[in-house]
Amino acid sequence: MTALGAPAPAAQAGASSAGHLVVTGTSKRFGAAVVLEDLSLSVAKGEFVSLLGPSGCGKTTLLRCIAGLLRPDAGRITVAGQDITALPAHRRNVGVVFQNYALFPHLTVAENIGFGLRAQGVSRAEAAPRVAEALALVRMGEHADKPVTSLSGGQQQRVAVARALVVRPSLLLLDEPFSALDRKLRETMQVELKHLLREVGITAIFVTHDQEEALVVSDRIAVMNSGRIEQLADPATLYGRPVSLYVLDFVGQSTRLAGRIVAVEDGVVTVETSLGPVRAPGRFAPGSRVAVAVRPEAVTLGEGVAGANRVSARVSEISFLGSRTQLHLDLPAEGEDRGVVELPRLPEGVQPGSRVTLAFREADTMVFPA
Amino acid sequence: MTMDRLGTGIAWTALILVIAFLLLPIVVVIPVSFTESTVFRFPPEGFSLQWYGRIRNVDGLLGALWLSAQIAALSTATSLLLGTLCAIALVRGLVPGAAAITTFMVSPLMLPGLVLGIALLQTMREVGLRDAWWSLYLAHVVITLPFVMRTVLASLSLFDFAMVDAARTLGCSYPKALWRVLVPNILPGFISGALFAFIASFDNYPVSMFLVDVRTKTLPIQLLNYLEISPDPTLAAVSTVLIGLTVIVLILCDRLVGLRRMASI
């Protein structure tokens, strides 16, 4: 395991404090469509970063540029201080786990894992123990001689990971690695894979459109929007302090109310919304159109703490989620207003149609330009 | 119940008749080739191998066989390479108008051989290519390419090109990745395409007819010439040899990839 995780000597020699993977000013267009726009990103050694965004935001294009499967139109990509922008894919030593794993159906499990070693000229005798080690690492030892087509989804993923890791890449890229698995298995594999990669000590980039998955597997998440990184932060910051409505909506749920600034004092603005005035920390000119938002678990029913925002709303729907209960609020249908509140336990007497008072702290309230 | 049985009976009879109709003319050739008689007649009289011996002595027959084998093998190999590369570009959408180009590339299949032959003769004259061997080779690339394209396109449409990317990230250059991953996975399509292409070239008459010269004749043309001069069982002997070779090739293919897999392409 340690041998597998040991970085290649070249990678160590060239390491710099600037970050293990550094993408600078990278652009890519397909015809008239700009897919990556002057994008920059720095990832530290051993860090797990997710590229999160809807399809078409450029996350897979960025991954393919890093892997060398696409050539960016502009910009520079370095790994461990070495400029790899012009290197072809087969000389980059960047491992990739593909969306549908792209295992070779004409080879067995062990042959799939040994493929990269053989391609790099490692002799059969030298490759065998390393393949065995990789098989053991992903707990697939007993399946070594099976055809890959006979494996389950989770097993196929393990083989794909082992195949990418066995050549000791300087970087591992994973393209929607869990999308082919069913929900239950996905949750297990997320934790398992995170643990495994941590043990190996590799730097990993996950591409995903699933915000829950990104929150589970990443140290930091880059939320991407039309070819650019909208926000790059750790999961807690991203969730608690999103920089834009786009990030707010993409990561987690929230109650969101459109409004207009009616008062400004000492870095606190008062916003007139469809549910009444709401105060939030922020700096906006009076009269600006804004949206205020609060995360579902930051809201309590009743009066709340002193000085909290209080609004009154009608409950439209109640969803029991097991560990918590979700209330949906009845808001005017026009506009993008919506209301979601999550409570550890449903207070007695609250049912669809009930009018409730919601309280949330000023500090938990966010305000964005609309 | 009895109606069912009657229906089944009729179906079986029809099946057997159709198979007999397809196979009997071919099968009859084999015993005729062993006849002692000098005429092409069934049932054969006596047993002899003289007609096999004559294959060597008939003027131009072995030469024609060798020429046809050469042309078929080389044009098939050329088509495999060109057809596979074209098919990759078309399947991956690397060229605009891929659908139209695909239709164009397989269109010689739908064109009467005579038309193609005259057109090619005209073209070769215009560009000043007078050599019969090269004319035949180029014409047969045109004949064989659609067969290869069709089967390779079919297998490629089922192929996941992420595998090629995977091979590249694991240390294979693009050509090496194609060789190590793409070729083994489309092998059934490759072999059946090659087989069809080889046979299409080997027994092509209408196109070759326009391009041969006195000294350079392909086997089908040489055989027909011979038949006009002396219709003896030598032809049956040649046919039997070809049937034997075909059976051997089919068995090899079955061993290699399985006929079932090839037929499904």
Side-chain angles (χ1 to χ4, degrees), chain A residues 50 97-101 153-154 157-158 161 174-195 197 205-210 212-214 216-218:
Chain A
S50 284
V97 174
F98 289 86
Q99 189 164 8
N100 294 313
Y101 311 132
Q157 192 199 51
R158 290 190 194 146
V161 170
L174 302 101
D175 188 4
E176 307 259 2
F178 306 103
S179 63
L181 307 177
D182 60 59
R183 192 184 170 84
K184 194 80 194 160
L185 184 59
R186 201 184 310 166
E187 286 167 5
T188 321
M189 291 302 285
Q190 283 167 3
V191 176
E192 179 185 311
L193 187 62
K194 186 181 181 180
H195 184 71
L197 298 182
I205 313 276
F206 291 84
V207 158
T208 178
H209 65 269
D210 180 343
E212 274 180 50
E213 178 179 311
V216 170
V217 297
S218 332

Side-chain angles (χ1 to χ4, degrees), chain A residues 64 69 89-90 94 96 98 102-106 115-116 119-120 163, chain B residues 160 162-163 165-173 176 180-181 184-185:
Chain A
R64 294 179 69 81
L69 299 170
H90 65 281
V94 168
V96 183
F98 289 86
L103 298 179
F104 307 131
H106 61 297
F115 186 92
Q120 291 172 15
R163 184 179 68 176
Chain B
D160 180 7
M163 283 193 249
D165 289 341
R168 289 170 68 198
T169 63
L170 288 167
C172 291
S173 63
K176 195 172 161 191
R180 293 279 307 272
V181 175
N185 277 293

Side-chain angles (χ1 to χ4, degrees), chain B residues 29-61:
Chain B
V29 165
I30 299 171
V32 168
S33 72
F34 294 105
T35 188
E36 276 175 9
S37 149
T38 57
V39 286
F40 213 114
R41 189 190 288 152
F42 189 81
E45 296 156 12
F47 178 87
S48 89
L49 290 173
Q50 58 169 319
W51 305 113
Y52 288 87
R54 254 186 77 72
I55 294 178
R56 272 185 303 144
N57 302 330
V58 172
D59 216 23
L61 211 52

